[in-house]
Amino acid sequence: MSVDLNTLKTPGPTITALTAPFWDAAAEGRLTIQRCEDCGKAVFYPRPICPHCWGRRLVWKDASGRGRLKSFSEVHKPGHPGWLPAAPYVVGLVELAEGPTMLSFILPGTQSLHIGAMLLLSPTAIGGRILPAFKPVEP
Amino acid sequence: MSRSKGAIAGIGELKPQRLTQGVTTLEMIAEVSRLAVLDAGLEPAAIDGLLVGPQVGETPQHVPATIAEYLGLAPTMANVVDLGGASGAGMVWRAAAAIEAGMCETVLCVLANNREEAAPRSPNRNPIREFDVPFGASGANISYALLMQAHMAEYGSTARDFAMIAAAARANAQLNPDAIFFGKPADVEAVLASPMIASPLHLLEIVMPVAGGEAVVVTSAGRARSLRKPPVHLLGAGEKVTHRAVSQAPSLTSGPLKSAMARAFRQSGTHADEMDLLSLYDCYTIMVATTIKDAGLCAPGQFGAWLNDHDLSHKGDKPLNTHGGQLGFGQPDLAGGMTHVVEAVRQLRGEAGERQIGKAGLALVTGNGATMSEATALVLGAA
Ligand SMILES: [Zn+2]
């Protein structure tokens, strides 16, 4: 992967009024997710009600940006043609320290990737917008 | 064993093809429905229930009415079943339940799809589109690659273990002249040598998308006994839907089929080890690996050894996907899941020809939709 990710013609997010705070924060290099004031659980992706208790008192909180790699794949044949110039690239399932799991783009590290690897938020310009990507924590 | 909850009285299947030209899904639904109703020995007017799948692009809404009108039916129960690859199995259970509830007596369950050269990309606006696609994760291949990687890490399963599933499917497809890979076997080495699509997933571990159609006619056990073909009884069923996006899956190494199958076995008073045929949903090799474990056929982490210990052919001790599975037959979109039902009916009737299994009393049929998200299991029994 030597291409400048920011020049890719990749599909961006389909933002709604509800999800805008997540993407606004992403543009500023932050990862913000909802937290339920009723049951205390963190929620990803954004919703109008908490999927754990159906409470409506959801507030935005910046996440720590720490996560653990639950699984990953090196994509050789992307599902969308906009990603072809970047292949092979890695996507992974990131279990955030706050609890929920999100799918993200995993930046290359110096060592080979393994499940269980510790990750850190690494905002990255992809396709003309800054996305909350992650990178492995180097020992 | 439990009593019959309803019976499959007729089956229809279209030979899969890579591409269609100027053929609508409605036309294919008509052709395959006719085959199933003829097979049952019924007049079309006997069909008073209709279960169909969603039709993205062609008929976004009013699908049952559109199909009923097209086929000249006036059902007293009509509905869409939208469970991805579990839709076929899900239809069979719903049909039996609708009959038991008095909504109708004889249900046509039909799924088909055309496949044109330049199909438009789906204009989705949902959480997957918003939160997965922008990061480079479009399509099912990557999702199943993530499941496979997690399986390998948790159980130490190897690329070769998974390749054995694909090779066995291809081998079984050599006895099915309708299969898209008939005449094209692929051994373990060929699977492992095929291009890496999304690590650790190789090309030949992924179903080939095809056009096709499948239909079954479900009626009451009593009525089925008076019809042309020996009834195949629904003895037990189970279902569970847990998530849609792989990031939201409660587990990456066990799926909702686990509880769906447990319920189907409980309802039917059977056990996984008693099944004479395993007709297991196989969109990807990893799906079979997880299903074998979740069914209790092998201990966690032992599926490679289990494969080595068993013969999965029609002559073997554990016949698995004797039609070639979708990995060998091709995947006609949502109808792909129904191929596992149709093949089970053929085997339990003793109509499977040169690939007929020996003892054919019980079959396990599984359906799986999205990313190990939607699960339906059926235990079917011979007349
Ligand atoms: Zn809550």
Side-chain angles (χ1 to χ4, degrees):
Chain A
M1 190 187 71
S2 54
V3 67
D4 178 0
L5 294 170
N6 203 27
T7 63
L8 296 175
K9 299 275 182 283
T10 52
T14 49
I15 304 169
T16 68
L18 173 77
T19 63
F22 175 87
W23 295 110
D24 289 347
E28 295 169 6
R30 292 181 294 116
L31 177 67
T32 190
I33 60 173
Q34 291 173 309
R35 183 179 176 279
C36 175
E37 299 271 75
D38 289 323
C39 73
K41 287 189 172 143
V43 173
F44 180 86
Y45 45 87
R47 293 163 169 90
I49 66 169
C50 168
H52 306 289
C53 74
W54 285 27
R56 299 184 67 195
R57 299 199 300 142
L58 292 160
V59 295
W60 293 100
K61 281 247 161 70
D62 276 3
S64 64
R66 287 182 291 109
R68 191 189 69 92
L69 189 64
K70 270 170 75 176
S71 192
F72 67 97
S73 175
E74 187 177 63
V75 181
H76 293 256
K77 193 170 182 299
H80 191 283
W83 279 93
L84 280 170
Y89 60 90
V90 177
V91 298
L93 296 177
V94 183
E95 186 177 61
L96 303 174
E98 289 75 16
T101 297
M102 68 178 283
L103 188 142
S104 189
F105 186 89
I106 310 297
L107 294 158
T110 55
Q111 286 156 26
S112 72
L113 209 51
H114 64 275
I115 289 178
M118 300 312 291
L119 303 168
L120 208 55
L121 177 69
S122 184
T124 303
I126 299 176
R129 59 192 69 78
I130 298 171
L131 298 182
F134 284 79
K135 67 176 181 206
V137 175
E138 304 287 342
Chain B
M1 210 178 303
S2 75
R3 71 184 185 88
S4 173
K5 298 175 190 308
I8 299 173
I11 54 174
E13 181 169 275
L14 301 183
K15 184 177 163 71
Q17 38 183 332
R18 277 296 282 150
L19 288 170
T20 53
Q21 257 191 317
V23 179
T24 64
T25 292
L26 270 178
E27 291 164 38
M28 300 177 71
I29 284 174
E31 296 290 348
V32 75
S33 297
R34 182 175 168 275
L35 292 176
V37 172
L38 281 176
D39 181 64
L42 286 165
E43 291 297 320
I47 302 297
D48 59 358
L50 180 63
L51 293 176
V52 299
Q55 286 176 29
V56 179
E58 194 172 306
T59 305
Q61 282 177 301
H62 306 290
V63 190
T66 304
I67 293 171
E69 177 193 281
Y70 201 79
L71 300 178
L73 300 175
T76 59
M77 184 284 294
N79 230 316
V80 173
V81 178
D82 183 4
L83 294 171
S87 300
M91 282 175 172
V92 172
W93 195 15
R94 281 163 179 74
I99 293 163
E100 197 154 82
M103 298 172 82
C104 51
E105 198 183 3
T106 302
V107 184
L108 170 65
C109 306
V110 60
L111 292 158
N113 67 293
N114 63 1
R115 192 163 183 278
E116 302 284 311
E117 182 86 62
R121 297 191 73 88
S122 65
N124 291 347
R125 270 191 83 98
N126 57 29
I128 287 193
R129 172 63 190 80
E130 181 168 2
F131 294 99
D132 288 3
V133 170
F135 294 98
S138 298
N141 290 343
I142 294 170
S143 297
Y144 279 89
L146 292 166
L147 297 179
M148 194 171 165
Q149 190 85 268
H151 193 283
M152 288 171 132
E154 183 160 339
Y155 300 125
S157 44
T158 65
R160 179 164 291 271
D161 294 339
F162 291 102
M164 280 195 285
I165 295 280
R170 285 291 188 100
N172 284 351
Q174 302 319 306
L175 291 174
N176 184 356
D178 283 348
I180 206 85
F181 289 118
F182 178 69
K184 293 174 189 157
D187 61 11
V188 168
E189 305 311 323
V191 175
L192 293 175
S194 67
M196 191 66 84
I197 300 299
S199 72
L201 191 57
H202 300 85
L203 178 65
L204 297 195
E205 301 182 81
I206 303 171
V207 283
M208 171 81 85
V210 295
E214 307 280 325
V216 305
V217 174
V218 178
T219 191
S220 64
R223 176 134 204 228
R225 275 187 268 272
S226 71
L227 296 177
R228 192 168 149 253
K229 292 288 179 74
V232 167
H233 296 286
L234 176 63
L235 302 177
E239 189 166 287
K240 191 160 185 174
V241 178
T242 48
H243 63 281
R244 171 65 184 86
V246 66
S247 64
Q248 306 304 310
S251 165
L252 299 179
T253 53
S254 178
L257 260 176
K258 183 171 183 170
S259 72
M261 290 188 289
R263 186 168 180 182
F265 292 136
R266 208 161 51 237
Q267 271 192 4
S268 57
T270 63
H271 187 271
D273 291 327
E274 295 175 66
M275 298 297 126
D276 301 310
L277 173 72
L278 299 168
S279 203
L280 308 183
Y281 194 91
D282 62 339
C283 47
Y284 297 86
T285 50
I286 173 65
M287 197 55 222
V288 178
T290 302
T291 303
I292 288 170
K293 173 190 66 87
D294 278 352
L297 286 161
C298 75
Q302 295 303 307
F303 108 92
W306 187 89
L307 289 176
N308 277 317
D309 288 349
H310 297 288
D311 177 346
L312 310 182
S313 77
H314 70 288
K315 288 181 290 197
D317 58 328
K318 291 286 174 199
L320 188 150
N321 291 341
T322 46
H323 64 309
Q326 295 178 75
L327 286 166
F329 181 82
Q331 179 173 64
D333 201 37
L334 298 176
M338 193 67 109
T339 68
H340 298 275
V341 176
V342 167
E343 176 69 4
V345 171
R346 278 194 207 103
Q347 291 286 2
L348 296 178
R349 283 177 175 177
E351 283 185 348
E354 63 169 332
R355 64 175 190 269
Q356 180 63 47
I357 61 175
K359 180 171 169 282
L362 289 169
L364 171 66
V365 177
T366 61
N368 160 69
T371 310
M372 220 161 68
S373 316
E374 300 141 330
T376 310
L378 308 175
V379 171
L380 301 179

